[in-house]
Amino acid sequence: MGRQATEMLKGTLEGIVLAILSTRAAYGYEITAWLREQGFSDIAEGTIYALLVRIEQRGLVDVAKVPSEKGPPRKVYSLNAQGREYLEEFWKTWAFLTERLEQLRQGGDQA
Amino acid sequence: MGRQATEMLKGTLEGIVLAILSTRAAYGYEITAWLREQGFSDIAEGTIYALLVRIEQRGLVDVAKVPSEKGPPRKVYSLNAQGREYLEEFWKTWAFLTERLEQLRQGGDQA
DNA sequence: CGGTGTATTCGGTGTTGCTAAGTACCGGTA
DNA sequence: TACCGGTACTTAGCAACACCGAATACACCG
């Protein structure tokens, strides 16, 4: 989607992944595929894996190694209590941002 | 506002400033003060100036040096045609992101 | 045995916002 | 005069994040 999207994803992508994991446990490959389906056409594979490693190191998710029928074992991530708290904060920050931008958009349309 | 906000601002702050400039010309100090009023409490002064330099170098804004009664001359920025185009793209990307996240938020609330 | 699809890892790059310090100009005050 | 606070901009170095490209590993199929 271009340069703007790349920069806007910073910080947001983390929230997106946490939000996905709040509905169900998932592994990297699966998440990447799902995001592509949702229109995040050019999210790099490596980006998701790196992100997953980060949130694991911060203790926001639990990990389970599950054998796959069709490849190497999967690392299945699930959101834990701390992750849920963090996700709450994310939504608050997101709400603040969207409010400000909604105001700006309306103001800009008038001018 | 913390780490999350910092990361989420990346890419978004640029759009915010362009949106401000689409309503009226402004200079750095003024923009910083306005943002603080709007609740962006800890946006660093240097951040805005650096951003303004970037968008100027990309040719999105025009600059005029205007003497001030109370200090060194102001650099007043105004959005030009290219900047307006770029801002349009920004809004599109932003709309895409908000759509996805709105869906995720609803899904997450159910689970 | 080589190729395709699944699944993860790693090193290096560019962009961005933050920190912190410095420069410059002006008015008021001691 | 000398100093301080408010205005206004600049700069150098840092940390975090998404991207790119390549590599690794496993399973099945022709």
Side-chain angles (χ1 to χ4, degrees):
Chain A
M1 295 198 58
R3 218 185 51 75
Q4 294 193 60
T6 292
E7 293 308 322
M8 259 189 263
L9 274 180
K10 291 189 180 178
T12 313
L13 187 56
E14 185 176 285
I16 292 173
V17 169
L18 291 175
I20 292 173
L21 293 179
S22 80
T23 68
R24 64 182 186 292
Y27 56 99
Y29 194 80
E30 188 184 7
I31 295 173
T32 305
W34 186 84
L35 286 173
R36 288 206 215 276
E37 270 174 39
Q38 297 300 305
F40 294 98
S41 47
D42 48 29
I43 283 191
E45 193 114 13
T47 298
I48 297 300
Y49 287 111
L51 194 159
L52 289 170
V53 167
R54 281 202 304 273
I55 62 179
E56 180 189 354
Q57 282 171 350
R58 284 197 211 127
L60 306 178
V61 288
D62 297 328
V63 190
K65 220 161 211 169
V66 177
S68 160
E69 324 83 40
K70 290 194 154 198
R74 299 164 174 166
K75 286 179 73 176
V76 175
Y77 295 83
S78 54
L79 205 63
N80 61 27
Q82 208 183 324
R84 266 171 228 290
E85 257 182 69
Y86 192 86
L87 180 57
E88 270 311 302
E89 301 254 328
F90 170 81
W91 284 128
K92 280 180 201 161
T93 307
W94 176 255
F96 172 77
L97 254 190
T98 47
E99 258 178 60
R100 297 302 130 193
L101 275 160
E102 202 44 51
Q103 282 184 9
L104 272 172
R105 172 132 68 168
Q106 279 159 17
D109 284 353
Q110 284 163 18
Chain B
M1 296 198 58
R3 218 185 49 75
Q4 294 193 58
T6 292
E7 291 308 322
M8 261 188 262
L9 275 180
K10 292 189 179 177
T12 313
L13 187 55
E14 185 176 284
I16 291 173
V17 170
L18 291 175
I20 292 173
L21 293 179
S22 81
T23 69
R24 65 184 185 291
Y27 56 98
Y29 194 79
E30 189 185 6
I31 295 173
T32 305
W34 186 83
L35 286 173
R36 289 205 216 276
E37 271 173 38
Q38 297 300 307
F40 294 97
S41 46
D42 48 30
I43 284 190
E45 191 113 13
T47 298
I48 297 299
Y49 288 112
L51 194 159
L52 289 170
V53 167
R54 280 202 306 271
I55 62 179
E56 180 189 354
Q57 282 171 349
R58 284 199 210 124
L60 306 178
V61 288
D62 297 329
V63 189
K65 220 162 211 169
V66 178
S68 161
E69 324 84 42
K70 288 193 154 196
R74 300 165 173 166
K75 285 179 74 176
V76 175
Y77 295 83
S78 54
L79 205 61
N80 61 26
Q82 208 183 324
R84 267 173 227 288
E85 256 182 69
Y86 192 86
L87 180 56
E88 270 310 303
E89 301 255 327
F90 170 81
W91 284 128
K92 280 180 200 160
T93 308
W94 175 255
F96 172 78
L97 252 190
T98 47
E99 256 179 61
R100 297 302 131 195
L101 274 159
E102 202 44 51
Q103 281 184 9
L104 272 172
R105 171 132 69 169
Q106 280 159 17
D109 284 353
Q110 285 164 15

